[in-house]
Amino acid sequence: MPAMTEPKLIAGNANRLLANAIARRMSMHRGMNVAPVDARVERFNDQEIFVEVFENVRGEDMYIIQSTSNPANDNLMELLIMTDALRRSSAARITAVIPYFGYARQDRRAKARTPISAKLVANLLTEAGVDRVLTLDLHAAQIQGFFDIPVDNLYAAPVFSLDIKHHFRDRMSDLMVISPDVGGVARARELAQRIGAPLAIVDKRREKAGEVAEMTVIGDVSGKTCIIVDDICDTAGTLCKAAQVLTDNGATEVHAYITHGVLSGPAIERVEKSVMKSLVITDSIEPSEAVKKASNIRLVPTAPMFAQAILNIWNGTSVSSLFELDTLGPIYEGLYQTD
């Protein structure tokens, strides 16, 4: 049976724009005002984090909206301390809505004497009192198994397919989806199937972390509009080099669809100077002013999807239904026209 209490949101400082957008969208769905609860998340002079919730949350179904993006450690600690504050205030259930799950790239021991930080973060969240996690495009699907609590992992591919069908509707037959490495083939294949496009792979060899020594295109991209698909863009070095390699192999245009625009260091400058016509990212990480001003970077909203997922968790209905365009399409109606 649906819960009797209304879902309540609380936002950290990591991505207040997205939190407010989710609240507005939930207000539309509920036909009533939904706003993040009144709280303050501040720092003492020595940078210790302090949280105070000004509303009664006893017995409430609480949703903490907080990406663990840069500064990752600060935002993670905010999430943990907010969880502790809610647990000690007798919240009935605490769901951590983490649009960007930091430390996800450290999901295994690739070398001796290295940590599995994604598992450590999972332990921290569970011990702090989180009852459930809602996230978007985990770097590795097995991270769900690091938790002993339910994890709902949403996917950007359905939203990207809506965006592609809208912006490339006159040349769908020319599209080719590109995986920037062998490890991302499953993600790229899913999007390729959704838009009915062929798939190619850019095989890369690394001599050391962060440096790509050689790239080879597996597949014929000549005369194609290539769409590179990946989950994270950090410094954009590999992405921009892949775009150049595709162009050198005959691609007419190169675009990229990346779920999490980390875009650290020289990333934005590299993207603007690259041969890519556009880089499309979600708002899972709050965009900086530089991202907003970049001529070839565009944002896709995730608030409609997260708002519906929160409502589905609250009322006990399917979250996986949001993987299907029949369900997701109406949620994004008005943003995309695919006819």
Side-chain angles (χ1 to χ4, degrees):
M1 293 181 63
M4 297 303 293
T5 59
E6 293 292 326
K8 284 196 172 183
L9 309 180
I10 185 171
N13 292 315
N15 198 340
R16 287 194 175 270
L17 290 176
L18 178 58
N20 291 332
I22 291 172
R24 287 195 301 272
R25 196 74 188 197
M26 289 177 66
S27 298
M28 292 171 58
H29 292 325
R30 297 289 296 149
M32 58 187 293
N33 183 47
V34 177
V37 301
D38 189 14
R40 62 173 175 151
V41 183
E42 298 178 347
R43 281 162 176 73
F44 292 117
N45 290 333
D46 64 354
Q47 298 305 302
E48 285 185 4
I49 297 166
F50 174 73
V51 174
E52 184 177 7
V53 182
F54 296 116
E55 298 181 28
N56 179 33
V57 296
R58 185 180 298 273
E60 298 287 358
D61 190 9
M62 299 299 303
Y63 296 82
I64 307 173
I65 302 173
Q66 177 80 339
S67 282
T68 50
S69 50
N70 184 38
N73 300 330
D74 285 1
N75 288 329
L76 177 59
M77 281 304 299
E78 278 190 14
L79 175 56
L80 296 173
I81 293 171
M82 283 190 290
T83 300
D84 188 71
L86 293 175
R87 181 175 61 85
R88 295 178 187 278
S89 302
S90 301
R93 181 174 66 172
I94 301 170
T95 300
V97 181
I98 312 174
Y100 172 66
F101 188 93
Y103 287 102
R105 285 174 283 184
Q106 300 178 47
D107 62 332
R108 66 195 187 280
R109 293 189 67 195
K111 298 179 181 179
R113 296 172 296 282
T114 56
I116 305 180
S117 302
K119 171 59 177 170
L120 174 60
V121 171
N123 290 345
L124 290 170
L125 290 170
T126 304
E127 289 299 316
V130 169
D131 297 301
R132 190 181 197 101
V133 171
L134 173 64
T135 189
L136 174 67
D137 265 357
L138 282 171
H139 183 64
Q142 71 262 22
I143 293 175
Q144 296 173 78
F146 294 172
F147 291 88
D148 291 324
I149 57 176
V151 177
D152 292 301
N153 183 32
L154 300 177
Y155 297 102
V159 184
F160 283 165
S161 67
L162 287 172
D163 191 271
I164 291 168
K165 289 176 181 178
H166 175 73
H167 285 91
F168 297 91
R169 54 185 176 274
D170 297 330
R171 43 182 172 150
M172 291 297 294
S173 61
D174 295 331
L175 298 184
M176 175 172 274
V177 175
I178 309 295
S179 172
D181 53 44
V182 175
V185 170
R187 181 180 293 104
R189 184 187 296 118
E190 181 186 356
L191 181 62
Q193 290 174 343
R194 287 180 179 273
I195 65 174
L199 176 68
I201 303 168
V202 176
D203 181 40
K204 61 186 178 184
R205 297 180 184 177
R206 292 186 186 270
E207 291 186 345
K208 58 182 179 179
E211 293 186 11
V212 178
E214 182 182 353
M215 282 187 169
T216 306
V217 179
I218 303 175
D220 183 10
V221 299
S222 58
K224 294 291 185 179
T225 298
C226 292
I227 296 177
I228 302 173
V229 182
D230 208 352
D231 64 323
I232 296 174
C233 177
D234 191 349
T235 60
T238 301
L239 180 64
C240 293
K241 188 169 183 179
Q244 185 63 58
V245 170
L246 291 168
T247 301
D248 293 343
N249 279 265
T252 55
E253 285 185 8
V254 179
H255 302 261
Y257 278 75
I258 310 294
T259 306
H260 306 296
V262 177
L263 299 176
S264 58
I268 298 171
E269 183 181 359
R270 283 175 174 172
V271 170
E272 288 192 295
K273 292 181 178 179
S274 73
V275 298
M276 278 189 296
K277 293 292 185 180
S278 68
L279 167 61
V280 181
I281 58 176
T282 75
D283 55 0
S284 64
I285 297 172
E286 188 166 305
S288 64
E289 286 302 316
V291 170
K292 294 176 183 177
K293 293 177 181 177
S295 59
N296 59 345
I297 300 178
R298 182 165 57 84
L299 265 69
V300 166
T302 58
M305 179 168 57
F306 273 112
Q308 189 61 55
I310 289 171
L311 289 172
N312 287 8
I313 291 170
W314 166 73
N315 63 29
T317 54
S318 171
V319 173
S320 62
S321 64
L322 297 176
F323 304 161
E324 303 300 327
L325 288 183
D326 290 345
T327 305
L328 197 66
I331 297 171
Y332 278 84
E333 191 173 7
L335 291 172
Y336 300 119
Q337 297 294 331
T338 57
D339 295 332

